[in-house]
Amino acid sequence: MPKVVSKSQVSSSIDAKPTPSSAATLRVYYCICGEFNLVIDKTLAALPRRQTDGATIVQTQDNELGAARVFKLNAKPNSEPVLLKRPEGYERRYSFACPRCTLPIAYQTAPPPVKSNPYLYILSGALSQAQGQIPLDAFEGEETAEGMDQQP
């Protein structure tokens, strides 16, 4: 039997300098049904909100206002737009839904794919950092059953 000779090298990253991507902390967000929908480099609470509907603004492209966020959205696009009437005119929305339960979770004002528009808007109360838990702002602005009983 011939003698087997192999060469191998051991690599270690202990002495390597940390890169910006290795120091970044990624946040994971889930739909109400428990499906993984979003991973992003910053908490949604720390991102700006849209004045019209309270949606969280995720910057998808670099521009004069700053750098794009690093994120991955796991959602099914809806190719049919929704037309909304706003005080300043009309807005065309292309929505993205949870692949499991089809609950709308985000939208943008340009046709899919994601990142074809400078901004992606995450609907308020659509995602949670804890899997299987309803987000705290899911029912924000809704009347409670107790409040309905107190009305004359």
Side-chain angles (χ1 to χ4, degrees):
M1 187 136 242
K3 184 177 178 183
V4 177
V5 177
S6 66
K7 293 183 179 182
S8 61
Q9 293 181 349
V10 176
S11 175
S12 174
S13 62
I14 295 172
D15 298 327
K17 294 179 183 176
T19 62
S21 63
S22 68
T25 303
L26 297 176
R27 310 295 199 275
V28 179
Y29 289 89
Y30 303 91
C31 178
I32 292 172
C33 72
E35 181 75 12
F36 155 76
N37 287 121
L38 177 70
V39 62
I40 191 165
D41 64 343
K42 198 166 190 177
T43 63
L44 293 181
L47 295 175
R49 295 227 172 222
R50 195 170 187 204
Q51 291 179 352
T52 56
D53 60 359
T56 303
I57 303 169
V58 178
Q59 188 169 332
T60 63
Q61 300 171 1
D62 291 338
N63 61 28
E64 64 277 352
L65 298 176
R69 296 259 64 102
V70 176
F71 72 96
K72 168 76 170 118
L73 182 69
N74 177 32
K76 291 189 306 187
N78 183 1
S79 60
E80 293 298 319
V82 173
L83 196 61
L84 295 174
K85 185 173 169 110
R86 296 271 186 217
E88 61 278 352
Y90 291 94
E91 176 180 271
R92 190 176 307 242
R93 283 188 183 180
Y94 293 86
S95 63
F96 295 91
C98 174
R100 181 192 284 173
C101 69
T102 67
L103 184 73
I105 56 171
Y107 66 90
Q108 63 185 19
T109 57
V114 175
K115 300 182 183 181
S116 62
N117 193 52
Y119 302 102
L120 175 75
Y121 304 99
I122 306 295
L123 294 170
S124 180
L127 300 176
S128 172
Q129 278 193 293
Q131 191 172 18
Q133 282 189 339
I134 296 175
L136 297 174
D137 57 347
F139 299 108
E140 200 169 89
E142 297 283 327
E143 289 186 30
T144 63
E146 298 155 1
M148 292 175 71
D149 293 338
Q150 296 174 357
Q151 293 179 356

